[in-house]
């Protein structure tokens, strides 16, 4: 089971999202990505706190620090979705999918619907093969 990540505040999530978008970033680069950014020293302190929480890592590049995610984006997405599924949908995948389809409205294309069906069919095959082993 994956190590549980600490809960993050709103601004911390914005900072982490900025670092994920950029891949690796300095304090100044993160600052430019934030809506209504706080001071440079506040962002620097929050980045340090996120390193302490093991959400981000850093390396020195001359006099500056460059921050990067501690967890690969795919693992972070999976962990976040597991948390949303447990918190808001009582672990029911079908309820989460229904909500996604509802909020997508008419914006979801036939191609996306085909891809979703293929994913469901593939998962169904995997489950059947796992049962027969």
């Amino acid at each position: 089971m994956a190590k549980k990540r600490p809960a993050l505040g709103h601004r911390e999530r914005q900072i982490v999202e900025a670092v994920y978008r950029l891949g690796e970033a300095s304090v100044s680069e993160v600052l430019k990505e934030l809506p209504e950014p706080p001071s440079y020293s506040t962002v620097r302190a929050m980045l340090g706190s996120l390193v302490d929480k093991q959400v981000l890592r850093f390396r020195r590049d001359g006099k500056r620090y460059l921050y990067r995610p501690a967890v690969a984006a795919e693992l972070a997405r999976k962990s976040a979705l597991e948390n949303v599924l447990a918190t808001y949908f009582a672990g029911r995948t079908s309820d989460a999918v229904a909500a996604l389809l509802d909020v997508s409205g008419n914006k979801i294309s036939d191609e996306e619907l085909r891809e979703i069906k293929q994913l469901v069919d593939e998962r169904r095959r995997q489950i059947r093969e796992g049962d027969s082993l």
Side-chain angles (χ1 to χ4, degrees):
M1 182 168 198
K3 182 178 169 184
K4 187 159 176 78
R5 294 285 170 202
L8 302 179
H10 178 70
R11 184 61 84 178
E12 287 176 315
R13 281 193 315 273
Q14 287 179 328
I15 290 171
V16 170
E17 289 167 4
V19 173
Y20 269 100
R21 276 193 307 276
L22 297 168
E24 184 176 68
S26 67
V27 177
S28 296
E29 291 166 330
V30 170
L31 199 57
K32 290 177 189 174
E33 293 285 314
L34 299 177
E36 300 176 24
S39 70
Y40 179 95
S41 60
T42 298
V43 173
R44 186 181 66 218
M46 292 183 89
L47 284 162
S49 173
L50 290 164
V51 168
D52 291 343
K53 291 179 179 183
Q54 299 180 344
V55 175
L56 298 177
R57 293 186 178 149
F58 74 93
R59 70 179 177 91
R60 282 191 71 140
D61 181 37
K63 292 184 177 185
R64 68 184 187 153
Y65 288 86
L66 295 176
Y67 297 87
R68 67 186 183 285
V71 176
E74 182 61 32
L75 290 175
R77 281 192 293 267
K78 184 177 179 184
S79 176
L81 281 173
E82 287 171 345
N83 186 42
V84 167
L85 189 63
T87 303
Y88 297 103
F89 299 99
R92 290 188 43 85
T93 303
S94 59
D95 290 347
V97 171
L100 284 170
L101 291 171
D102 186 47
V103 298
S104 297
N106 293 333
K107 295 178 281 187
I108 192 163
S109 69
D110 285 341
E111 179 61 28
E112 285 179 298
L113 289 170
R114 276 191 292 278
E115 290 172 14
I116 291 167
K117 183 181 181 318
Q118 287 175 339
L119 291 168
V120 169
D121 291 345
E122 178 60 27
R123 177 59 69 193
R124 188 175 283 132
R125 274 192 295 280
Q126 290 172 350
I127 291 169
R128 283 187 193 134
E129 290 172 4
D131 287 343
S132 64
L133 293 178

